[in-house]
Amino acid sequence: MILQVENVQKSFDGFIAVKDVSFSVAKGELCSIIGPNGAGKTTIFNLITGHLPLDKGRVIFNGIDITRRPAHKICRLGLGRSFQRINIFPKLTVFENVQAAVLTHRGQSLNFFTSVQSLFRRETEELLAMVGLQDQRQAVSGSLSYGFQKQLELGIALACEPAMLLLDEPTAGMSARETNATIELIASIARDRDLTLLFTEHDMAVVFSIAERILVLHQGQLIAGGSPDEVRANPVVQDIYFGKARCS
Amino acid sequence: MARQNWVLIAVIVLVGLIPASGSRFYVFLATDILIFGLFAVSLNLLLGYTGLVSFGQAAFFGIGAYTCALLKKKAGITFALAFPAAGLLGAAAALIIGMFCVRLTKIYFAMLTLAFSQIIWAIAFKWNSLTGGDNGIIGINFPQYLDSKTRYFYFTLTIVTLSLFILRKIVNSPFGRILTTIRENPERTEFIGINVKLYQLLAFIIAGFFSAVAGAIFGVFNHSVFPDILFWSASAEVLIMTLLGGMYSFFGPVVGAAVLLYLRMQVASYTEYWPLILGTMLALLLFFFPGGIVGFIQARTPKTANSK
Amino acid sequence: MFATGTSPCASRKGATAREGFVLMSLPDPSFLIIQALNGLTNAMFLFLIASGLSIIFGVLGVLNFAHGSLYMLGAYLTHQCVSFFVDVPGYFWWAVILASLAVALLGGVIERLFLRRLYHREELYQLLFTYALVLILSDLAKLIWGTDQFSVSRPAILKGAVEIFGQYFPKYNVVIIFLGPCIAFLFWFIMLRTRWGRMIRAAALDRETLGALGVNVNLLFTVVFVSGSWLAGLGGALVSPVSAIVPGMDVEIIINAFIVVVIGGLGSFWGTFLGALIVGQVYSLGILVLPRLSMVFIYVLMVLVLIIRPWGLLGRSLQR
């Protein structure tokens, strides 16, 4: 097990956003968390990656208890993440965005006197090629199209060479075609790099086509989990999740 | 890159030729500009590069000036030791003050730096037996080997050039790049594995060090130190210099310092209403030239390759 | 050397004069009460001014350095109006009303014509614009009224003093001490019980949603800035009989008002009230204990609050 989440709980002003959630993810697995808006998916990601302090429970990554560690240390242990809304360095170029992550990963971020300009050029270019941004390298990232920014987001996350990646809605706001292309890309990178993936996704077709295991979250609680077929067949899930989705 | 370095060397040589003009006025003005240029660039490491609005940078400038003056005058320590000590004490003060300040963000960071600098001002202002209070410290002489305005000018030119060289190395280094990612998006920077608060603190210490160095040169240059250099309006003034020159360019703040100090010198000879002119200038700048002078020029000239 | 280098002088003179006076009469307990009442008077002035600063920050998110300048203009304009209307009965009160309204109008002009264009920019630009106003308004005041010191005499009915434990305390100060809570209550009432108050409180929390709900946020911002400016002008107008009207009073008050709102909590109404009480008493009683250090102490207090509770004693904690 690469990630173990045990009895995690979090409340905001008395509202329980995540309630006693436990699950684990095996190495190399493609796992998805689904659930209606406000089910607590992003909060769980924020709790795992140290973005929010949790009230109760434990998080263990690669055998190390990361429960109260600061976000930057968790990232250095090899647990990367991307964000639901665009979260890049808008005034820097695409190249500089990814390069910053590469040089941090290579332990050069406290280097005060080497010129940064051509540092790790090859590594950075490789990453840009991997996420399909080689032609945009000199563009100011804030001026890119939404789809490109999402790809850049992925590039930054990959630059840290994580063993496991948490992707929060990697295709949010994309057209159907873009969504498929992005998912293809993510799945192929995960296969090539032996990456463990945990992602949230609103597009059920996507989830059921690529996820090996699906966790269903409802009102802060984990109500089901298993293979796509098991989850599809689960009456509870059908009732509260698909029933609701069809209504709205 | 290479071409820019030749331009810089040419500028340094030209500045070095100012005493040859025989004008005491220009030597005085050039020394002043160099000092405040360094002060503004060190502030800009926080403002333009790290995205931290320090509203109390005058504290470190003042600490440098007072340390150098007091060590020289009260402790009889030679300038050669008092001068570096001033820089180090500035850095130490920045370490202590910075530890508290970097925990806050945005306007609260600005308020806390302002509050700390006011404490230091109040101490300098009230501790008569040490700092001379309102009367300041006067009669700080040039060291013997720098005993003329021209010699002191060359000393200032050397120190400022060296400091700017180091600061430029730093902003073009991997560390400098991380500072810009913090400015752009501290949250994302945390998630590429950076301890953001630590890097902000390091930037704060470096800025404190060079501000104190500038202050130490300033005190001896004027032969006196008064609490006014610590007051919050002094912090505001160096912010204005930085913004006037352009906070997204390394040498912008030097340009800002030069323009502001030159104008003040000129204006002072025929009107006492300098604040009115400065205020109007600042307002126009904010509305019409938010990138400052250098930003304005850069936007209007075609980009040459991608040299920084 | 520095553009506004003269500004610390104002606080300087006041402090030393008070220290000398205080040290002679330290042992008398009734004097302590008078000193506390003086502190309370100052606290009420501080409250008037700081509450304007606080509401503007709370709703517009702008830390207004020029707030002290508006206060100063309130005082100068009161002096001006008083000299116009000396023959009119109750002229002082007319002057206070006119001066504070004129300042409110100026605030409206500043917000509509200038500040509005900077809302989408970084905080630094707003901060420095209000600082530019400080520089401009202070020199304009010098151009109009010169550098001489002015004073306004107290209105006739409030001229004498009342006796408290054998000490004399000016009637005018008594009125101020009662006026402070009245205005506090009025504001509290407006904020909690009226539609405008509810909208202002909502705008402080979430301005986008409010706009989406069809509230005219632009107008709301102007109204808030105008009322904040009016409070600054009113503070300046009411302080004119008890404090000298001099250049530099703008910078002196703005720092104290900052301290008040930071201690109480930026944007918190009752916090501002508490902050004003604390700062007023530290200045008037702290001077008895440690005359040299009271000024340092007040800044230390501000630093401590920012370190321990950055959102202030009664402020709302920001989501972390």
Side-chain angles (χ1 to χ4, degrees):
Chain A
M1 286 298 149
I2 188 165
L3 180 76
Q4 287 162 271
V5 174
E6 298 172 0
N7 311 99
V8 164
Q9 187 145 327
K10 176 76 188 174
S11 54
F12 302 103
D13 287 331
F15 166 73
I16 300 175
V18 171
K19 192 176 178 191
D20 198 25
V21 167
S22 302
F23 64 90
S24 54
V25 180
K27 203 165 163 43
E29 203 173 18
L30 245 77
C31 187
S32 180
I33 301 183
I34 60 170
N37 277 338
K41 293 168 292 183
T42 300
T43 307
I44 287 192
F45 274 19
N46 285 339
L47 293 173
I48 295 173
T49 54
H51 198 49
L52 282 176
L54 33 70
D55 297 344
K56 264 190 240 166
R58 283 207 307 168
V59 181
I60 292 161
F61 176 69
N62 255 343
I64 302 166
D65 188 339
I66 59 168
T67 310
R68 307 234 173 262
R69 297 219 180 178
H72 63 94
K73 286 197 176 147
I74 294 175
C75 170
R76 294 215 168 195
L77 288 171
L79 182 59
R81 78 170 288 187
S82 77
F83 294 80
Q84 183 171 358
R85 59 190 163 76
I86 296 293
N87 211 340
I88 55 176
F89 309 116
K91 282 208 191 90
L92 304 187
T93 66
V94 169
F95 179 85
E96 289 167 342
N97 264 269
V98 174
Q99 187 200 28
V102 174
L103 66 88
T104 304
H105 179 63
R106 307 277 166 137
Q108 289 295 309
S109 57
L110 274 177
N111 179 334
F112 290 83
F113 293 108
T114 317
S115 172
V116 73
Q117 224 154 25
S118 51
L119 202 66
F120 301 121
R121 180 174 287 275
R122 197 175 48 77
E123 291 85 342
T124 308
E125 298 282 355
E126 274 172 22
L127 280 158
L128 289 178
M130 191 186 294
V131 295
L133 283 175
Q134 60 274 46
D135 297 331
Q136 277 73 35
R137 73 169 79 82
Q138 289 308 333
V140 175
S141 62
S143 65
L144 289 178
S145 72
Y146 183 82
F148 278 148
Q149 291 189 355
K150 275 290 201 190
Q151 278 162 267
L152 178 58
E153 174 99 342
L154 187 64
I156 297 172
L158 287 172
C160 305
E161 298 190 18
M164 176 170 185
L165 201 51
L166 307 189
L167 302 173
D168 197 356
E169 298 275 356
T171 68
M174 287 187 182
S175 68
R177 230 188 53 201
E178 284 175 321
T179 300
N180 284 332
T182 306
I183 288 300
E184 283 293 303
L185 180 71
I186 291 171
S188 80
I189 290 171
R191 244 175 279 123
D192 292 350
R193 301 202 142 197
D194 194 24
L195 203 60
T196 311
L197 276 187
L198 177 65
F199 66 101
T200 65
E201 176 58 61
H202 61 281
D203 188 331
M204 286 307 121
V206 166
V207 172
F208 283 91
S209 68
I210 72 161
E212 295 161 10
R213 199 154 62 86
I214 297 173
L215 302 165
V216 186
L217 203 62
H218 181 66
Q219 292 178 352
Q221 278 177 296
L222 214 50
I223 53 161
S227 71
D229 290 334
E230 285 166 11
V231 169
R232 221 189 312 255
N234 188 318
V236 187
V237 176
Q238 295 231 321
D239 190 35
I240 39 183
Y241 188 67
F242 295 101
K244 205 175 201 170
R246 226 174 280 133
C247 291
S248 64
Chain B
M1 188 74 189
R3 206 190 62 166
Q4 213 193 8
N5 284 341
W6 284 113
V7 172
L8 287 176
I9 289 168
V11 169
I12 294 166
V13 170
L14 277 178
V15 174
L17 287 174
I18 287 175
S21 72
S23 157
R24 289 171 60 114
F25 171 74
Y26 282 115
V27 171
F28 178 84
L29 183 63
T31 313
D32 221 21
I33 289 173
L34 285 169
I35 293 169
F36 280 93
L38 174 59
F39 184 22
V41 170
S42 69
L43 168 73
N44 199 38
L45 183 71
L46 299 176
L47 190 70
Y49 286 93
T50 320
L52 292 170
V53 181
S54 167
F55 222 103
Q57 205 60 20
F60 305 106
F61 187 80
I63 285 173
Y66 268 99
T67 308
C68 192
L70 286 173
L71 286 179
K72 228 169 132 342
K73 196 119 199 265
K74 297 243 165 165
I77 288 169
T78 138
F79 179 72
L81 288 175
F83 179 64
L88 291 177
L89 201 78
L95 167 68
I96 297 164
I97 293 174
M99 280 199 305
F100 295 108
C101 293
V102 298
R103 292 168 58 231
L104 304 184
T105 53
K106 296 195 159 191
I107 203 81
Y108 292 92
F109 175 88
M111 293 296 288
L112 191 54
T113 51
L114 176 74
F116 268 117
S117 78
Q118 285 296 101
I119 290 184
I120 290 167
W121 168 75
I123 292 171
F125 185 57
K126 287 285 178 185
W127 195 352
N128 287 344
S129 56
L130 182 72
T131 63
D134 200 6
N135 298 321
I137 304 166
I138 50 168
I140 311 157
N141 296 321
F142 284 145
Q144 270 164 1
Y145 43 91
L146 296 173
D147 201 8
S148 79
K149 288 273 176 205
T150 307
R151 282 190 185 177
Y152 198 75
F153 164 76
Y154 281 116
F155 167 74
T156 307
L157 180 61
T158 312
I159 297 292
V160 170
T161 306
L162 199 67
S163 303
L164 291 184
F165 176 77
I166 295 170
L167 280 164
R168 190 155 169 264
K169 272 271 181 211
I170 291 175
V171 301
N172 287 323
S173 74
F175 173 76
R177 174 61 49 78
I178 296 300
L179 294 187
T180 60
T181 66
I182 292 174
R183 174 195 77 203
E184 289 294 300
N185 190 341
E187 181 194 52
R188 192 72 183 91
T189 307
E190 191 85 23
F191 281 102
I192 60 173
I194 294 291
N195 184 353
V196 169
K197 302 285 172 222
L198 175 69
Y199 283 66
Q200 287 175 329
L201 180 61
L202 288 173
F204 202 77
I205 294 170
I206 296 168
F209 175 82
F210 285 107
S211 298
V213 166
I217 305 176
F218 181 77
V220 178
F221 173 58
N222 281 304
H223 306 301
S224 57
V225 183
F226 296 100
D228 286 5
I229 61 166
L230 287 155
F231 201 61
W232 64 272
S233 50
S235 296
E237 196 166 72
V238 71
L239 273 171
I240 296 172
M241 287 177 187
T242 308
L243 214 70
L244 175 65
M247 63 191 238
Y248 294 122
S249 114
F250 181 78
F251 289 105
V254 183
V255 175
V259 171
L260 195 140
L261 292 171
Y262 178 77
L263 278 180
R264 183 163 69 193
M265 210 70 107
Q266 292 296 327
V267 166
S269 56
Y270 57 87
T271 173
E272 58 182 304
Y273 295 108
W274 163 247
L276 180 63
I277 293 165
L278 179 64
T280 313
M281 227 166 63
L282 176 59
L284 291 174
L285 181 76
L286 294 169
F287 282 106
F288 301 111
F289 310 102
I293 296 169
V294 174
F296 180 75
I297 294 169
Q298 275 173 350
R300 240 134 267 249
T301 46
K303 276 202 171 160
T304 49
N306 70 93
S307 59
K308 285 222 166 156
Chain C
M1 187 70 223
F2 285 90
T4 49
T6 48
S7 44
C9 297
S11 57
R12 225 168 271 174
K13 279 173 203 140
T16 39
R18 248 178 279 154
E19 275 163 38
F21 172 55
V22 158
L23 286 174
M24 286 187 302
S25 38
L26 188 59
D28 190 348
S30 66
F31 174 78
L32 279 179
I33 294 170
I34 290 295
Q35 194 67 6
L37 285 173
N38 275 329
L40 199 58
T41 317
N42 283 333
M44 288 309 130
F45 285 123
L46 273 175
F47 167 69
L48 270 183
I49 297 141
S51 58
L53 189 69
S54 177
I55 194 175
I56 289 174
F57 178 82
V59 177
L60 281 69
V62 174
L63 201 56
N64 184 14
F65 273 105
H67 204 69
S69 313
L70 297 174
Y71 157 86
M72 176 188 72
L73 287 180
Y76 272 110
L77 287 172
T78 307
H79 155 74
Q80 196 69 50
C81 294
V82 161
S83 49
F84 274 140
F85 298 130
V86 252
D87 305 326
V88 185
Y91 65 91
F92 174 77
W93 304 109
W94 290 113
V96 167
I97 292 168
L98 265 178
S100 59
L101 286 180
V103 171
L105 188 70
L106 177 66
V109 171
I110 291 170
E111 200 275 341
R112 278 267 142 160
L113 291 186
F114 303 109
L115 207 51
R116 164 144 307 181
R117 292 159 207 263
L118 294 175
Y119 289 147
H120 63 282
R121 295 264 188 81
E122 291 135 81
E123 276 163 347
L124 176 67
Y125 287 83
Q126 303 161 4
L127 212 61
L128 283 181
F129 173 67
T130 65
Y131 184 69
L133 287 178
V134 172
L135 297 175
I136 294 169
L137 292 176
S138 76
D139 263 12
L140 284 181
K142 272 187 212 159
L143 272 168
I144 299 170
W145 289 287
T147 49
D148 292 342
Q149 178 171 325
F150 295 109
S151 59
V152 170
S153 53
R154 275 173 258 161
I157 41 161
L158 297 177
K159 268 205 169 118
V162 290
E163 203 185 312
I164 300 169
F165 299 113
Q167 298 267 353
Y168 289 100
F169 189 68
K171 276 186 192 165
Y172 185 80
N173 293 20
V174 176
V175 170
I176 292 298
I177 290 174
F178 282 105
L179 208 57
C182 286
I183 290 170
F185 182 77
L186 185 74
F187 247 77
W188 173 82
F189 183 82
I190 292 173
M191 294 294 272
L192 249 79
R193 293 278 176 268
T194 67
R195 206 173 90 85
W196 273 96
R198 274 196 298 276
M199 286 199 294
I200 288 169
R201 280 187 300 140
L205 292 176
D206 187 350
R207 101 176 56 149
E208 277 82 22
T209 314
L210 198 67
L213 289 174
V215 174
N216 185 343
V217 178
N218 277 342
L219 181 63
L220 186 77
F221 277 21
T222 309
V223 168
V224 167
F225 201 86
V226 167
S227 358
S229 305
W230 178 72
L231 285 170
L234 184 66
L238 289 176
V239 89
S240 60
V242 292
S243 166
I245 305 166
V246 280
M249 65 190 290
D250 49 349
V251 176
E252 193 192 346
I253 198 76
I254 191 64
I255 284 291
N256 285 327
F258 272 170
I259 296 171
V260 165
V261 292
V262 165
I263 289 176
L266 277 164
S268 154
F269 178 72
W270 290 110
T272 307
F273 197 76
L274 179 66
L277 288 179
I278 293 173
V279 172
Q281 291 310 329
V282 168
Y283 270 126
S284 64
L285 294 180
I287 254 166
L288 303 177
V289 191
L290 292 163
R292 269 191 190 289
L293 289 178
S294 72
M295 192 165 60
V296 180
F297 184 73
I298 208 86
Y299 291 122
V300 171
L301 198 64
M302 177 178 177
V303 162
L304 284 180
V305 167
L306 277 170
I307 290 171
I308 299 162
R309 278 177 74 90
W311 53 90
L313 294 179
L314 299 181
R316 176 185 289 271
S317 166
L318 300 151
Q319 76 277 24
R320 278 226 52 204

